[in-house]
Amino acid sequence: MKTNSRAGEKIAKLLIWSTALFVLVVLVAISAYILIKGLPRINWHFLTEIPRNMGRSGGVASTIVGTLLVTAVAIIIAMPFGIGTAFYLAEYTKESMITRIIRFSAESLAGIPSIVYGLFGFIFFVIYLNLGWSILSGGLTLAIMILPTIIRTSEEAILSVPKVYREVSFSLGGTKWQTIIKAVFPSAIRGITNGIILSVGRSVAETAAVIYTAGSALRMPVSLFSPTRTMAVHFYILAREGISLENAYGTAALLIILIFLINVVANMLVNRFIAKGR
Amino acid sequence: MKKFKEKLSGRIFFIFALSSISVLALITVFIIVKGAPIIAKVGFFNFVFGMKWSPSQGEFGIFPMIIGSVSVTLGAAALGVPIGICCSIFLAEFAPAKMREFFRPAIQLLAGIPSVVYGFWGLLFIVPFIRNFFGGPGLSILAGAIILAIMTLPTIISISEVSLLALPRQYKEGALALGLNHWQTIWSVLLPAAKSGIVAAVILGIGRAVGETMAVIMVLGNAVAVPLSILDPVRTLTTNIGIEMGYASGEHQQALFATGIVLFVIIMLLNSFAQYITRKR
């Protein structure tokens, strides 16, 4: 019996170790393959030239600009709403019907598939508000998509600020508003920033929600009302329609590097946040 | 003045919160207003259980896509759930600290890679692999399930790990003190205690799988037919929208929004269930 359970433990451990290592290898293999195939494509011309001939030749400059602008619109719009909602949930209410409805909505928004955001963005921003396929439509659609992430991470950051900070501020005669601005916000800002950086990553990586809202135009955008094509959409079209595998690899490698940098920054912030918080 | 500012700030935060949640209502209303007329015209039963989808002839039956979504998602869950739970046990119980420090950010990074990149990788490796070793076109339920399993791993792993780590330390100490070995402790004490968190993780992972679009367009083959084996190509609810939105108009476009309604309802049910389970904890 004893030897039996010991053998069982060994088998289980072996199984778990090998599964975990297998997963790690697969994950590393996917990104490594794309990087190996794509990195040689990336050079100064690739970064600074507009796609030519549907993307068969030329670079990806306009898609980089498009990605940055769409993401910037999304973050600028979502930030005040997300952080404001988080402060309302964390500082202004006790658990009640209203907070439960807000939480339920935020969690439901988090689960809605990006293609449904794409449908909504198309019918609401592109058609109903008549913004057309544009950076603005794409950015607003993404703003809604990342809102729940910002709300949740900001609320966690605010709640993890020690109570003492608030008590000290109140005892010094600070009002609620002053306490929030001068005591709570500065200590929660790293966590909030981390949530925003994660949202930047999600926006950059998104395809389904932007392809029918921002469009797929290849020219350099001239205003927020210009249609554009983000890097992820460009990659999708190049790969799916078999336009140019070489340029697809290049675009994908660029995306992975970008996501990697975003993650590194986020991790650095989280580590400092944890070091400071505890 | 001070009091006024106080009141104002509270109001402003409330307005932010209110607009954040009204977005959900806005989405619901617009998708339904755009999609419901075609369901009413075709008939709910004919729409949901109709076998034929040919927009040019005005036939809108999405049953093959529902079967497609369900089969791909079940396949993804069958592959992803055991692997994901194993990884979370590994991270929470077995991994040396150094390895954990590497593994966690790696998983996080994995979650950030654009889904289209996974789809492309699947098209390059998984699809030919299936074609050569199992037969069929390669573009299949199995290919989609594998890609989705990989994509849902980060969700399942991180949430399950959190719920394992959140257990009171006494559970483990008590079990070990009673003479159970490490694995027996995990299997008969820790996993059952963390059950609700793990179930929530699985449901959220399944939600991601049901909702994924662009990655699976590349590997599913997209044929509108009820599949007979896991090696057959299928079309899911999401890919139906993703493929045809580019050129649809009129009733065809309405039917795609109606497909969105069905998808939306499925996801809301899954989410509510996940929230219910998490809350019960």
Side-chain angles (χ1 to χ4, degrees), chain A residues 157-177:
Chain A
I158 295 166
L159 288 176
S160 72
V161 174
K163 265 218 175 82
V164 189
Y165 286 33
R166 298 179 182 86
E167 283 158 7
V168 169
S169 168
F170 284 135
S171 67
L172 290 173
T175 63
K176 182 128 200 169
W177 171 246

Side-chain angles (χ1 to χ4, degrees), chain A residues 1-9, chain B residues 179 181 184:
Chain A
M1 186 62 203
K2 190 141 202 185
T3 49
N4 232 349
S5 72
R6 209 166 270 167
E9 162 144 356
Chain B
N181 65 33
Q184 288 169 328

Side-chain angles (χ1 to χ4, degrees), chain B residues 263-274:
Chain B
L263 185 64
F264 188 75
V265 170
I266 293 174
I267 293 287
M268 289 301 274
L269 287 176
L270 277 173
N271 277 338
S272 312
F273 188 50

Side-chain angles (χ1 to χ4, degrees), chain B residues 96-162:
Chain B
K98 271 263 160 61
M99 204 165 168
R100 197 174 306 161
E101 261 166 49
F102 175 72
F103 208 115
R104 261 198 214 120
I107 296 282
Q108 203 190 350
L109 178 65
L110 188 72
I113 291 180
S115 60
V116 276
V117 172
Y118 287 111
F120 184 52
W121 186 81
L123 186 63
L124 291 173
F125 288 96
I126 310 282
V127 169
F129 179 84
I130 293 173
R131 189 165 48 222
N132 295 335
F133 286 87
F134 299 103
L139 299 160
S140 57
I141 295 178
L142 184 59
I146 293 174
I147 292 301
L148 285 179
I150 297 176
M151 290 182 54
T152 50
L153 276 178
T155 311
I156 298 177
I157 294 174
S158 53
I159 304 179
S160 310
E161 192 208 349
V162 167

Side-chain angles (χ1 to χ4, degrees), chain A residues 70 73-74 125-126 132-143 209-210 213-215:
Chain A
V70 169
V73 169
F125 296 121
V126 176
W133 281 332
S134 61
I135 292 173
L136 207 53
S137 298
L140 288 167
T141 308
L142 285 181
V210 288
T213 53

Side-chain angles (χ1 to χ4, degrees), chain B residues 67-121:
Chain B
I67 297 293
S69 281
V70 170
S71 52
V72 175
T73 306
L74 284 182
L79 292 168
V81 169
I83 295 179
I85 293 177
C86 275
C87 286
S88 65
I89 295 173
F90 176 76
L91 282 176
E93 291 293 322
F94 291 122
K98 271 263 160 61
M99 204 165 168
R100 197 174 306 161
E101 261 166 49
F102 175 72
F103 208 115
R104 261 198 214 120
I107 296 282
Q108 203 190 350
L109 178 65
L110 188 72
I113 291 180
S115 60
V116 276
V117 172
Y118 287 111
F120 184 52
W121 186 81

Side-chain angles (χ1 to χ4, degrees), chain A residues 86-93 154-189 192 273:
Chain A
F87 267 110
Y88 180 74
L89 282 174
E91 297 286 334
Y92 278 89
T93 50
S154 304
E155 196 192 348
E156 271 165 22
I158 295 166
L159 288 176
S160 72
V161 174
K163 265 218 175 82
V164 189
Y165 286 33
R166 298 179 182 86
E167 283 158 7
V168 169
S169 168
F170 284 135
S171 67
L172 290 173
T175 63
K176 182 128 200 169
W177 171 246
Q178 289 168 331
T179 305
I180 287 176
I181 288 300
K182 299 214 170 110
V184 179
F185 189 66
S187 4
I189 195 156
I192 294 174
F273 177 59

